[in-house]
Amino acid sequence: MWTSLTLVSILIAVIFWLIMETSIRVSYEQDNVDQVDRLMWTTLERYGLEDYSETLRLLADSDDCYIQLLQESDGALLLSFDADGTAQTTETAQASGIIPEDLFARLDASGGVIGYRVDDAGRNLTWNVKAAVTAYDATGRYVLILSKALTNLNLILSVFRKRLMFVLLGVLVGAVLIAFFFTRHFAGPVNRLTERAKQMAEGDYDSPFPRQGPTEVLALSDTLKGAATEFRATEELRRDFISNVTHDMKTPLTVIRMNAEMIETVAGNDPQRRSAYLSGIIAEVDHLSEFISDMMELSRLQSGTWLPELAPFHLNLLISACVNTMEPNPGAGGGRIVVRACQGLYVRADSMLIGRVLENLLSNALKFSPGDREIQVTAFHGSEATADVLPRLYAFPDAIAPETEVKPDPPSLSPLVYVCVRDFGPGVPKNQQEQIWDRYYHVDPLGRENTGTGIGLNIIREIMRLHHRPCGVISEEGKGCLFWIALESAPAPREQE
């Protein structure tokens, strides 16, 4: 970058040099032509005055030009003044080098006025000449010839080049120094960030990004640092995904293989043993199917392509349907589900997704609750401040009134509806209550028969995120859990009032 900036500076200096020299040359030459034209018209206007000869002398002296008056009949010079205003004789006059042989023919062709240049090799200069017919008489025409030397042009350019050279050298030195410090201030940090980015591309997400340089480079460093953090999290998620998927798929496959081998080698013709082994195979296949379905559903939720279809619906009916689906059969080892909910609860949400949330919460509660304890489902109107009193609902579950006696907040003052699922299982330790919402996370399972896919709570969180509504858990180790969600309240349809 330093070399590029230096080359650009040199190129700019050369272009500036050429532009300035060309501009001076063209401007000077044009000024000379304009001055000769002005003098010519001045002398023509004063022709015929008594002091015309003196006027020509003064103009020659003041404007540093040669003025000659030529007679056509014999080619004699009637007047001749040099640049100092000194009268010249025929021998010392400039006519021999200035007046071309075809002067009068050219005047005839141009209407009586011509302009041309003559190179004077002896003096190493160029003459700018203007000739015009001033008068006629019986002997022929009288021609006034003005010539002005471009004497000082080469001298001016020589002086200009010398001075401009010093100026440009100073500019180049300054440009080189500026380029050097610029590259150290800008390019240096960018190059270090580039090297660090290459390391990140190779999988090194832990090396820090240097925060040096101007504001823009600092912003780039912070952006790359954030990208490295995201890549690190993604890499960890990938490793966890592979580890968990491998574990969750390998274990059922091992059990299936073991049961199949037992059928082949042990069960023989014993129907009871064969049935038991086949039941084990079916259970593991169901577990695999549930795991794959949960992964596909979670992938759709996180992809952003699954948008909730928000519409008002009767929450009480959805809770009843989910409870009827999840209510364990007698003797299955699950707890009894008790619903305590306000009547006439309507919410605006995607009923299918919220049904999935309730099923996941009830499924977890049934898995981890002792068989002799009930599972409580509570639903009521509330506001954002209601979340602060949920710990009381967790601490005093038996103080909750039956569903017909629940005292809700007035619906007009309650923009939310809370749904809580309370179990009396082992609970979740405080230090794990954030991680349980992550995919594949298990809280020290009681045994394989009581564990799920590790995706259910993550699905709940994604569904609530799509609804832009909160969810949470309140728990103490050994005292069970209270999982809760908040939904947007909706007015009851008129036909239901």
Side-chain angles (χ1 to χ4, degrees), residues 377-389:
V377 179
T378 311
F380 51 89
H381 284 288
S383 61
E384 294 182 359
T386 305
D388 298 333
V389 302

Side-chain angles (χ1 to χ4, degrees), residues 3 27 42 84 92 127 157 165 179 221 228 233 246 258 275 286 301 415 448 471 481:
T3 304
S27 176
T42 301
D84 295 328
T92 60
W127 294 95
L157 290 177
M165 183 178 296
S221 176
T246 302
M258 181 185 67
S275 176
D286 290 342
L301 289 170
R448 177 168 173 77
C471 60
C481 299

Side-chain angles (χ1 to χ4, degrees), residues 241-262:
F241 174 79
I242 294 175
S243 175
N244 285 284
V245 168
T246 302
H247 175 269
D248 284 345
M249 295 190 72
K250 184 177 180 181
T251 302
L253 291 174
T254 301
V255 174
I256 290 173
R257 178 181 177 86
M258 181 185 67
N259 284 321
E261 291 176 348
M262 294 297 290

